[in-house]
Amino acid sequence: MTTGSNLRRLGMLIEYEGTSYQGSQYQSTGTTIQYELERAISNLTSESNRVALAGRTDARVHASGQVASFLTKSPHSDSAFLTGLNHYLPEDIAVKKVVTLPENFDVRRNARSRLYCYTIHNGYTPSPLRRNMSWHIRDPLNFMKMNTAALELMGEHDFSAFTNPSVAQNQPTTRNVLGINLSSKQQLIRIEIEANSFLTHQVRRTVGCLVAIGNNKMSVEDFRSMILLPVPGSAYITAPPQGLCLIRVRYDKDIFENGDKNENI
């Protein structure tokens, strides 16, 4: 880890296709997004830097608005880092923006919310072009029932039903869902959910339940009871990872506000 004076903290807006990775965070086995970022930084600066990420994504989960940061002594400009890091990164990871942040800025703790989107391909035949970015469900889903149930998520609740029991036993399970939106167009159902933070597998278990409601294997009332009278782990249907994407990390102030407005987080 870089230490001493003349340090700068750089923030990065990152996009990646997670198909080939074991998740965002460093692991002892398997390649991760964090490993590739740290390898690219080392190749560019000859420093050994630990990267902090604002949101955790599982294996095969994607991101269009992941945020990360690291400390460096390198004299390279922000724009030089942008060009250099993308030179060393594999083609399924890209740094979209680089900015200098206050040295004590914590991209995870300073985040106000995270927005995820889950994509379902609800069509009779599979789509090879969508297979790495969506969950294919052949039978028609009842979109109206799914939408009705989703509205029950709004507000602050104990979401222990939507995570592993072991997680529920070891950390607070109350989260504040700030927004939920379902849309359906041309066989694609998109479920967007924003919260201050999420429990492990919370979004994927939520989507799994909504799909069960859409194919009449779960009632809206059963879903509501998981929120109002939660039993840890009871929302056991977990949507596959490839349909999930981290869209945006929000802060009190947009830390990338000087960049291309079309790509702001």
Side-chain angles (χ1 to χ4, degrees):
M1 174 66 69
T2 301
T3 59
S5 59
N6 301 318
L7 283 174
R8 286 187 298 152
R9 180 171 295 281
L10 295 184
M12 300 178 289
L13 179 63
I14 306 164
E15 177 181 316
Y16 52 83
E17 183 192 344
T19 305
S20 301
Y21 299 94
Q22 294 300 308
S24 58
Q25 311 295 119
Y26 180 81
Q27 298 180 26
S28 58
T29 58
T31 305
T32 64
I33 302 300
Q34 184 178 8
Y35 170 82
E36 291 292 350
L37 290 170
E38 292 177 357
R39 184 182 64 84
I41 294 167
S42 178
N43 285 335
L44 180 62
T45 66
S46 299
E47 297 174 342
S48 178
N49 303 65
R50 182 61 73 195
V51 168
L53 294 118
R56 179 184 292 272
T57 55
D58 295 333
R60 300 178 64 200
V61 172
H62 318 291
S64 61
Q66 176 70 275
V67 178
S69 73
F70 63 96
L71 290 168
T72 181
K73 287 184 177 180
S74 171
H76 292 316
S77 66
D78 293 356
S79 60
F81 264 104
L82 181 65
T83 302
L85 291 176
N86 284 317
H87 172 77
Y88 287 112
L89 284 168
E91 61 184 2
D92 48 9
I93 305 175
V95 177
K96 308 297 287 185
K97 298 173 188 173
V98 175
V99 296
T100 298
L101 298 172
E103 187 177 330
N104 62 351
F105 192 88
D106 189 314
V107 292
R108 184 176 68 86
R109 295 184 184 278
N110 286 104
R112 307 302 297 174
S113 67
R114 287 91 172 159
L115 172 66
Y116 284 86
C117 178
Y118 196 97
T119 301
I120 298 167
H121 173 216
N122 192 203
Y124 186 77
T125 60
S127 170
L129 295 179
R130 293 172 176 156
R131 66 188 178 91
N132 288 331
M133 304 295 289
S134 65
W135 180 13
H136 177 231
I137 299 175
R138 190 176 79 168
D139 296 330
L141 295 171
N142 188 323
F143 177 80
M144 295 302 294
K145 289 178 73 172
M146 294 171 65
N147 193 56
T148 297
L151 295 176
E152 300 289 337
L153 297 164
M154 285 294 296
E156 191 171 81
H157 303 285
D158 178 354
F159 285 102
S160 58
F162 297 87
T163 191
N164 302 325
S166 59
V167 173
Q169 293 171 2
N170 292 295
Q171 68 180 78
T173 53
T174 298
R175 297 293 187 272
N176 187 13
V177 172
L178 305 169
I180 180 78
N181 181 64
L182 274 65
S183 61
S184 179
K185 185 178 181 181
Q186 297 179 342
Q187 299 186 338
L188 293 182
I189 296 174
R190 289 189 170 91
I191 302 170
E192 293 187 351
I193 180 168
E194 182 173 1
N196 60 330
S197 63
F198 290 91
L199 297 166
T200 301
H201 295 162
Q202 180 180 340
V203 177
R204 290 170 57 196
R205 285 178 180 240
T206 298
V207 171
C209 288
L210 292 177
V211 168
I213 291 167
N215 58 26
N216 297 312
K217 294 181 180 179
M218 180 184 293
S219 69
V220 175
E221 291 72 24
D222 287 340
F223 185 75
R224 183 183 299 117
S225 69
M226 290 180 181
I227 300 169
L228 299 179
L229 299 169
V231 176
S234 58
Y236 61 89
I237 305 171
T238 306
Q242 74 274 8
L244 187 59
C245 184
L246 173 59
I247 300 296
R248 181 179 297 117
V249 181
R250 296 189 193 272
Y251 297 91
D252 287 334
K253 179 182 179 182
D254 184 355
I255 61 177
F256 298 103
E257 64 182 351
N258 294 323
D260 184 344
K261 294 300 183 183
N262 292 324
E263 295 183 342
N264 275 354
I265 62 172

